[in-house]
Amino acid sequence: LQMLSAGSRRVALQGVRSLATTNKASAGKTGNIAEYKVVDHAYDAVVVGAGGAGLRAAMGLSEGGLKTAVITKLFPTRSHTVAAQGGINAALGNMNPDNWRWHFYDTVKGSDWLGDQDAIHYMTREAERAVIELENYGMPFSRTAEGKIYQRAFGGQSNDFGRGGQAHRTCCVADRTGHSLLHTLYGASLQYNCNYFVEFFALDLIMDKGVCVGVVAMSLEDGSIHRFRAKNTVLATGGYGRAYFSCTSAHTCTGDGTALIARAGINNSDMEFVQFHPTGIYGAGCLITEGSRGEGGFLVNSKGERFMERYAPVAKDLASRDVVSRSMTLEIMEGRGVGPEKDHIYLQLHHLPAEQLQQRLPGISETAQIFAGVDVTKEPIPVIPTVHYNMGGVPTNYKGQVIQYTSEKGDQVVPGLYAAGECGAHSVHGANRLGANSLLDLVIFGRACAIDILSKDKAGVNVPDLPKGAGEASVANLDKLRHANGDISTADLRLQMQKTMQKHAAVFRRGDVLQEGVKKMNDLYAQQKNLKVSDRGLVWNSDLIETLELQNLFINATQTIVAAENRKESRGAHARDDFPNREDELDYSKSTEGQTKKPFEQHWRKHSIIRSDIETGKVSLDYRPVIDTTLDKSETDWVPPKVRSY
Amino acid sequence: RSSCLLISMLRRLSSMAARAQCRCHSTPSSSSGGAAGQGGIAGSRKGQMAPASPEVVAKKTPKGKLDNPELFDEDGWPKRRIVNEETGEIGGPQGPEPTRYGDWERKGRCSDF
């Protein structure tokens, strides 16, 4: 069949597919990996993922003259960044006098002192330059009457180190900042001849003696394998929201970058920190704003009881988000959830007058009708705590270079490998991410990777050769999955994993619940041997791609739940019922004079360093100290920890 | 036996290939063969269709439903310089202030917090 001419190749591949599915005898037999067509490419830099961070890195690299390839499984303007409607924080000072040091303080406090202060220093200092650069590339920010970028108030931002009231720091493009960011960066990168490989799925990193020399990817269009060799690889693949049953992420957010790293034997960091929102619509995953509770709506369980009165007698439904999420989860765990599986809660708004609802929250009736199928003036909205963001990911330094940490040697940079965006943990968000900082993170660290690569490399110089047998293991795995003929389908196994994660590693965490979850996840991980893939073809085989994504999700999910079980304190988004306090090296609720610092093994103000054994699913943990020094003491000194209260 | 099967398959596939040439121009052109494909399609069709009259075009062009029709003029182009009178913001999100509840809210949906 390989003898057929190129002109009829597309038809020939369709012919191959129909032959394979009709020939039952070959189902289950492993094909020959030499059958796959392999194409080799050489570039100066390869970017995996084309969301906000990937496009910013690609644009910076191609603007600097390097031959850049972008491998993405989605068209760039369809990446999940497009859903980011909110804004970007930058201390431009257009609305009131502002200073990036105040933004630095707010971000360090928001991260619950788990963020690396040198990376946060870098991010907040460069924010102004980066946003003005974006504006110069044509991003249509909304303006003040003088023509400067309009900035609005957003939660968590203050003036004067928390003492000066609400800061107006968030720049936005109407209500479509992420969408506009993607279009601006995509257009700008094309004018510098960036090469896009759209609808290519990255299978593995190619490592040569600890140096990253490229990426192996599969083309979705014809199933051919492409090996990209490049001196620099930037990972910008986004988060892994789809490891949970209820998440706001697109179906394509499957943690491919963090899994690529784990398969290459490199560590991930802080995977247990996952940001939840209490009221996400059950099934759809869209979040209902807190304003619905602010305007008088309340949460109701299967008994019709307004249960928040028991958990937070004073604040009731207006308690902080983590309290509300935990209360909802406790109600569900105790059996008072609603619905056929008793696994969610109702948000009741129909007791409010319809005109008031329409005036204060215009559009909520439309949202509830489209996403939940309910008439909000008559029925309650089904809601469940929903995953929104992953603070954990690939550990990097402030330049974006990926770090491998060992306790003997400390931080070791992995040559040739960079990470940016949600898949990286730089770590600027620490234990909790502030609103509107995520888009800033994408832009700054995409830019930082590009700047660092350009400072070291010239175009065309020293593109490495591929090691012998590069990519063979990936193709063997691909082939094994393509012919998988077990008894459980990908969709079923994925749903079981998602429900387990939602039940055991969601917002409510307690030792026994987590340990049970770890056992269940280990069993489900082992079930991957029994997967069944129905489509044996190579052209647009979405069953195969979803199975590869499931492998990636499993790696991320097991790392998350084991790290969550291991961390015995509550910090930021990781809140444990049995260890409700934050364990630092000193007790910061009292004066620190006269206290002795606890040794590193006895406190929890440290990053979790997580490695996976891919065959068995076993996760091993280590710890890395938080970087408390800033980049330049003369610009700003570090923020010493204290009790975090808003 | 298997080689006979193969040969008959090959014959069938090559005839399918010949027919596929004609079927090609009904599918959108791929990224590699864009301009050349278009030229080939136009050249292979016999005769040209007459352009439609403006009345037919106006009647048959579908008009989309717009979320905020007051922001667009009658031809469907967006009006420039939408100003929020209270805050003086130009080009910003319409309707109530999205961050009034501490998160970014549009139509009851929260997208950042």
Side-chain angles (χ1 to χ4, degrees):
Chain A
L1 286 159
Q2 279 143 3
M3 299 181 288
L4 287 169
S5 64
S8 52
R9 199 179 113 238
R10 189 179 292 173
V11 180
L13 280 169
Q14 287 169 351
V16 167
R17 186 155 133 227
S18 60
L19 269 179
T21 50
T22 50
N23 187 357
K24 288 279 188 262
S26 74
K29 186 184 75 164
T30 311
N32 185 359
I33 62 171
E35 274 177 7
Y36 290 85
K37 177 172 164 208
V38 178
V39 180
D40 283 350
H41 308 263
Y43 283 92
D44 293 316
V46 165
V47 180
V48 182
L55 286 180
R56 181 63 187 84
M59 193 197 78
L61 290 166
S62 40
E63 187 188 27
L66 294 187
K67 193 172 161 213
T68 313
V70 180
I71 301 174
T72 167
K73 68 182 181 186
L74 300 169
F75 192 77
T77 54
R78 303 275 188 264
S79 305
H80 192 51
T81 310
V82 78
Q85 290 185 2
I88 308 183
N89 281 333
L92 298 168
N94 289 340
M95 306 295 288
N96 52 355
D98 205 352
N99 192 331
W100 62 261
R101 293 168 184 83
W102 302 341
H103 187 194
F104 168 72
Y105 170 82
D106 290 330
T107 308
V108 171
K109 180 178 171 191
S111 75
D112 218 350
W113 280 277
L114 201 70
D116 290 330
Q117 298 206 14
D118 61 344
I120 300 178
H121 177 169
Y122 182 76
M123 182 176 88
T124 49
R125 187 187 71 190
E126 299 293 309
E128 186 186 342
R129 267 187 282 262
V131 168
I132 301 218
E133 227 175 41
L134 279 178
E135 192 263 337
N136 291 343
Y137 278 116
M139 194 159 154
F141 286 103
S142 55
R143 304 282 173 170
T144 61
E146 295 106 46
K148 293 186 170 235
I149 295 177
Y150 183 85
Q151 297 183 284
R152 48 179 19 93
F154 202 47
Q157 304 297 325
S158 65
N159 282 324
D160 197 19
F161 306 104
R163 298 179 294 233
Q166 177 71 47
H168 289 66
R169 214 172 265 152
T170 304
C171 319
C172 70
V173 176
D175 59 347
R176 49 181 172 83
T177 310
H179 174 257
S180 169
L181 177 74
L182 286 182
H183 278 270
T184 308
L185 290 174
Y186 182 55
S189 67
L190 286 177
Q191 82 189 26
Y192 296 115
N193 293 326
C194 190
N195 302 291
Y196 281 90
F197 290 87
V198 179
E199 279 152 0
F200 276 62
F201 188 84
L203 296 170
D204 265 315
L205 294 174
I206 306 176
M207 306 291 288
D208 187 9
K209 298 189 202 56
V211 177
C212 180
V213 297
V215 182
V216 184
M218 179 173 113
S219 165
L220 264 64
E221 188 182 348
D222 59 8
S224 53
I225 307 294
H226 292 252
R227 304 192 301 183
F228 294 84
R229 58 188 176 96
K231 188 135 191 282
N232 304 289
T233 306
V234 181
L235 291 176
T237 50
Y240 56 95
R242 282 285 150 185
Y244 285 83
F245 178 67
S246 181
C247 62
T248 59
S249 330
H251 290 277
T252 48
C253 294
T254 50
D256 298 329
T258 31
L260 286 177
I261 286 279
R263 277 199 288 269
I266 305 174
N267 44 223
N268 283 326
S269 155
D270 295 338
M271 297 289 269
E272 64 270 32
F273 295 103
V274 179
Q275 195 175 38
F276 286 85
H277 190 274
T279 49
I281 297 183
Y282 180 76
C286 306
L287 303 175
I288 296 284
T289 175
E290 291 177 70
S292 57
R293 286 175 282 131
E295 292 295 337
F298 49 76
L299 295 163
V300 156
N301 62 11
S302 60
K303 296 207 169 85
E305 180 201 354
R306 188 176 167 179
F307 59 85
M308 283 307 300
E309 290 172 342
R310 272 187 284 128
Y311 293 93
V314 175
K316 295 187 218 184
D317 293 89
L318 294 172
S320 66
R321 278 190 296 272
D322 46 338
V323 173
V324 176
S325 306
R326 279 212 295 288
S327 318
M328 288 168 76
T329 314
L330 274 171
E331 289 291 307
I332 294 171
M333 277 170 58
E334 287 170 14
R336 292 189 287 275
V338 302
E341 291 179 33
K342 297 196 177 309
D343 57 354
H344 54 278
I345 297 288
Y346 280 141
L347 173 65
Q348 184 175 303
L349 290 166
H350 56 77
H351 58 281
L352 301 167
E355 310 83 48
Q356 183 189 343
L357 206 57
Q358 176 56 31
Q359 192 201 23
R360 299 279 179 81
L361 289 166
I364 195 170
S365 47
E366 190 190 326
T367 298
Q369 183 62 50
I370 294 174
F371 293 104
V374 302
D375 181 353
V376 81
T377 52
K378 298 195 184 75
E379 301 160 284
I381 308 175
V383 294
I384 188 174
T386 301
V387 172
H388 181 66
Y389 188 82
N390 304 107
M391 271 72 75
V394 184
T396 71
N397 58 17
Y398 73 94
K399 297 182 206 168
Q401 299 169 314
V402 170
I403 292 175
Q404 176 92 286
Y405 178 80
T406 46
S407 32
E408 301 88 37
K409 295 196 217 147
D411 287 344
Q412 303 263 298
V413 170
V414 177
L417 195 55
Y418 291 78
E422 193 175 344
C423 83
H426 305 109
S427 144
V428 285
H429 304 302
N432 191 35
R433 175 193 70 100
L434 288 182
N437 265 356
S438 167
L439 282 171
L440 181 63
D441 172 15
L442 305 183
V443 173
I444 297 286
F445 288 99
R447 180 174 172 269
C449 292
I451 289 175
D452 194 59
I453 294 174
L454 286 169
S455 70
K456 295 193 168 99
D457 291 326
K458 298 261 180 305
V461 172
N462 285 337
V463 179
D465 291 321
L466 289 174
K468 203 164 168 344
E472 271 178 17
S474 324
V475 177
N477 178 41
L478 179 76
D479 195 64
K480 182 187 83 173
L481 283 180
R482 192 174 135 228
H483 295 280
N485 200 20
D487 45 16
I488 181 168
S489 74
T490 305
D492 286 335
L493 188 58
R494 186 176 58 215
L495 186 62
Q496 285 180 29
M497 177 197 76
Q498 288 173 337
K499 292 222 152 155
T500 308
M501 290 297 282
Q502 186 77 27
K503 196 164 165 212
H504 296 276
V507 61
F508 180 77
R509 294 175 176 183
R510 197 171 62 195
D512 51 342
V513 174
L514 285 166
Q515 278 154 15
E516 201 191 323
V518 169
K519 252 200 303 282
K520 280 193 193 170
M521 282 302 296
N522 284 334
D523 294 336
L524 287 172
Y525 193 99
Q527 287 255 31
Q528 282 182 84
K529 304 194 280 297
N530 299 333
L531 277 174
K532 176 183 166 57
V533 171
S534 322
D535 188 352
R536 302 265 179 262
L538 283 170
V539 178
W540 300 114
N541 189 344
S542 55
D543 202 353
L544 175 64
I545 298 297
E546 284 189 15
T547 312
L548 289 166
E549 289 176 344
L550 181 65
Q551 282 189 330
N552 294 342
L553 278 177
F554 260 113
I555 297 172
N556 284 297
T558 45
Q559 289 194 346
T560 301
I561 196 168
V562 172
E565 195 275 319
N566 184 66
R567 182 173 280 262
K568 298 186 167 45
E569 65 153 359
S570 289
R571 182 182 294 268
H574 173 68
R576 277 184 70 153
D577 216 43
D578 43 351
F579 296 96
N581 298 315
R582 199 178 80 181
E583 307 272 335
D584 299 320
E585 68 276 15
L586 294 168
D587 186 354
Y588 291 101
S589 58
K590 308 196 276 275
S591 155
T592 57
E593 277 182 31
Q595 290 189 43
T596 46
K597 274 198 175 169
K598 285 192 205 153
F600 188 65
E601 299 78 37
Q602 286 180 23
H603 71 88
W604 282 101
R605 196 163 82 87
K606 49 198 184 187
H607 296 294
S608 317
I609 292 288
I610 309 160
R611 287 187 185 84
S612 274
D613 176 345
I614 303 299
E615 285 302 315
T616 57
K618 195 158 155 29
V619 173
S620 56
L621 290 153
D622 200 353
Y623 302 100
R624 173 175 169 246
V626 175
I627 298 178
D628 280 331
T629 49
T630 57
L631 283 179
D632 187 348
K633 239 181 156 166
S634 59
E635 286 184 2
T636 179
D637 203 358
W638 77 304
V639 181
K642 47 186 207 244
V643 173
R644 177 171 168 255
S645 61
Y646 283 105
Chain B
R1 215 181 327 127
S2 59
S3 59
C4 287
L5 185 67
L6 202 60
I7 289 169
S8 63
M9 280 289 154
L10 278 170
R11 282 213 196 101
R12 228 189 310 146
L13 284 167
S14 54
S15 62
M16 274 166 75
R19 271 182 280 138
Q21 304 275 339
C22 306
R23 249 188 280 143
C24 263
H25 63 238
S26 60
T27 59
S29 52
S30 67
S31 54
S32 52
Q38 295 284 344
I41 291 165
S44 66
R45 293 175 89 144
K46 295 198 180 99
Q48 297 267 333
M49 283 176 65
S53 66
E55 299 85 37
V56 174
V57 169
K59 197 174 96 173
K60 295 224 171 202
T61 305
K63 286 226 176 341
K65 181 181 80 117
L66 298 168
D67 282 336
N68 295 313
E70 68 273 8
L71 298 179
F72 297 83
D73 57 24
E74 61 275 356
D75 292 328
W77 293 103
K79 290 183 194 160
R80 305 254 166 223
R81 319 274 312 159
I82 313 288
V83 186
N84 182 326
E85 288 85 27
E86 287 164 26
T87 55
E89 183 185 7
I90 300 173
Q94 302 302 302
E97 168 66 35
T99 57
R100 62 193 188 283
Y101 296 116
D103 55 10
W104 189 278
E105 177 271 337
R106 291 291 285 170
K107 294 189 176 172
R109 285 171 66 181
C110 160
S111 55
D112 201 3
F113 54 92

